[in-house]
Amino acid sequence: MALINISHPEEFILLGFTDRPWMEKPLFVILLITYPMAMMGNIAIILVSRLDPRLHSPMYFFLTNLSFLDMCYTTSIVPQMLVNLGSSKKTISYMGCTVQLYFFHTVGGTECLLLAAMSLDRYVAICRPLHYTLIMNRQICVLLVSIVWLSGIISAVSEAAVTLQLPLCGLNKLDHLLCEIPVLLKIACGEKSVNELTLSVVCIFMLAVPLCLILASYAGIGHALLNIKSSEGRKKAFGTCSSHLIVVLLFYGPGISMYLQPASSITRDQPKFMALFYGVVTRTLNPFIYALRNKDVKGALGNLMRRLFSSK
């Protein structure tokens, strides 16, 4: 570990895969290809949701927010990864690390809660179809999204602020591709039990509680589907929430395995591959999952492309 004379270093050295240099170039190329794909896919979802009147519904209002969050999440980590993997420069300033820490955890926490809000929307649509427009009106949707964003910001500030107060004792090498709370806890000195407890409590609230709400929503949806007589009606009802269910599985599965563990039990390479999975795989797949499995989105995308080409 590199040692310097101040508690908080001027910059951090992100080790990444320096012990496996043969991995850096292939990963750099993969990120260079998938990052624009993720951005364009999410921008397309936002555009069609805003421009096509048929998609002016609560479901697509939440989907627009999800696509925006995916863009923010990817942008908060992938450019730094590209610098790390594509050059000999492996450093990030202390201020840059702090900004990334707040931004990354704000967006991640907000997305956890947004997925729960989307499951509630699907529950009301399938289990209370006659009251759907009354319950999920514009004011309620805006209120839910506002609460989601505010909760994400508060949780990120509480996590990051407590972590950044720990003395680092001059250690400035992070065995990671980006600045993340569990990695900073590993190099911090002094008593860390309070910090680990705070991290666990916040993660339970931001991961476990929304997941319980999602499971409860889908339990109600499953019960409602069983009561639908026709197989065609059952298939149509399930089709409206299947895309969301796939996105939930992609998001919460790795997230729970990572963040509900004590920081001391996380293996050396696990945070790196988890960051790559979240920064690249899920954010690239999400818009394609919704586009390929949703007839309305596919139709809106087709209309948008035809309008673009006809205007040219």
Side-chain angles (χ1 to χ4, degrees):
M1 281 286 184
L3 291 172
I4 53 181
N5 294 326
I6 55 176
S7 176
H8 296 304
E10 292 183 2
E11 63 181 17
F12 289 103
I13 300 172
L14 298 170
L15 297 178
F17 293 103
T18 51
D19 58 332
R20 301 175 187 178
W22 57 271
M23 292 182 63
E24 291 188 336
K25 294 302 179 185
L27 287 174
F28 176 82
V29 173
I30 291 172
L31 287 177
L32 199 61
I33 295 171
T34 54
Y35 177 53
M37 287 176 59
M39 295 297 289
M40 288 188 293
N42 284 297
I43 289 171
I45 293 291
I46 292 172
L47 284 176
V48 297
S49 298
R50 299 297 297 172
L51 296 176
D52 196 312
R54 294 175 301 172
L55 303 186
H56 291 175
S57 67
M59 176 181 173
Y60 297 104
F61 174 72
F62 291 122
L63 180 57
T64 299
N65 277 270
L66 179 65
S67 293
F68 179 71
L69 280 170
D70 282 346
M71 291 169 60
C72 293
Y73 193 104
T74 305
T75 303
S76 71
I77 60 175
V78 172
Q80 178 62 46
M81 290 181 182
L82 287 170
V83 172
N84 184 289
L85 294 169
S87 69
S88 58
K89 179 180 170 60
K90 310 293 183 183
T91 61
I92 183 172
S93 68
Y94 180 80
M95 182 57 68
C97 181
T98 302
V99 171
Q100 187 180 69
L101 200 69
Y102 280 109
F103 198 75
F104 168 74
H105 285 278
T106 294
V107 177
T110 301
E111 186 156 344
C112 291
L113 297 174
L114 181 64
L115 290 172
M118 293 174 75
S119 71
L120 175 64
D121 171 70
R122 293 298 83 208
Y123 171 82
V124 176
I126 293 173
C127 301
R128 300 287 187 272
L130 298 179
H131 302 93
Y132 178 65
T133 55
L134 179 65
I135 297 173
M136 300 303 294
N137 58 60
R138 180 71 178 180
Q139 290 77 14
I140 293 296
C141 291
V142 171
L143 178 62
L144 280 173
V145 168
S146 301
I147 293 172
V148 162
W149 274 97
L150 184 61
S151 300
I153 292 170
I154 292 172
S155 68
V157 169
S158 62
E159 281 184 291
V162 172
T163 302
L164 292 171
Q165 287 176 0
L166 283 173
L168 300 179
C169 301
L171 301 175
N172 75 327
K173 284 189 176 181
L174 300 179
D175 191 16
H176 204 353
L177 292 164
L178 66 145
C179 291
E180 203 174 11
I181 287 175
V183 184
L184 287 173
L185 284 177
K186 278 193 172 184
I187 69 166
C189 55
E191 179 56 42
K192 295 184 283 187
S193 58
V194 175
N195 299 78
E196 292 189 357
L197 177 62
T198 302
L199 180 62
S200 297
V201 170
V202 172
C203 287
I204 287 172
F205 174 73
M206 299 301 292
L207 281 170
V209 172
L211 181 60
C212 289
L213 292 174
I214 290 171
L215 293 175
S217 296
Y218 276 101
I221 290 171
H223 184 264
L225 291 177
L226 292 175
N227 292 330
I228 297 176
K229 302 298 183 182
S230 68
S231 59
E232 185 65 29
R234 195 180 301 119
K235 182 180 178 181
K236 184 178 179 180
F238 180 74
T240 65
C241 58
S242 58
S243 299
H244 175 258
L245 188 58
I246 294 171
V247 170
V248 166
L249 292 174
L250 282 173
F251 186 86
Y252 275 97
I256 288 174
S257 67
M258 173 75 177
Y259 285 104
L260 292 186
Q261 300 179 58
S264 57
S265 70
I266 297 173
T267 61
R268 180 181 179 184
D269 288 332
Q270 188 178 351
K272 303 173 192 176
F273 289 110
M274 198 68 69
L276 286 169
F277 180 83
Y278 274 119
V280 180
V281 178
T282 59
R283 270 66 197 178
T284 304
L285 290 178
N286 283 357
F288 292 99
I289 291 170
Y290 276 98
L292 295 176
R293 297 188 61 85
N294 189 299
K295 291 181 180 179
D296 292 335
V297 174
K298 283 193 288 187
L301 282 170
N303 291 337
L304 179 63
M305 295 301 294
R306 282 191 291 271
R307 283 163 61 183
L308 287 174
F309 284 113
S310 62
S311 65
K312 289 182 180 180

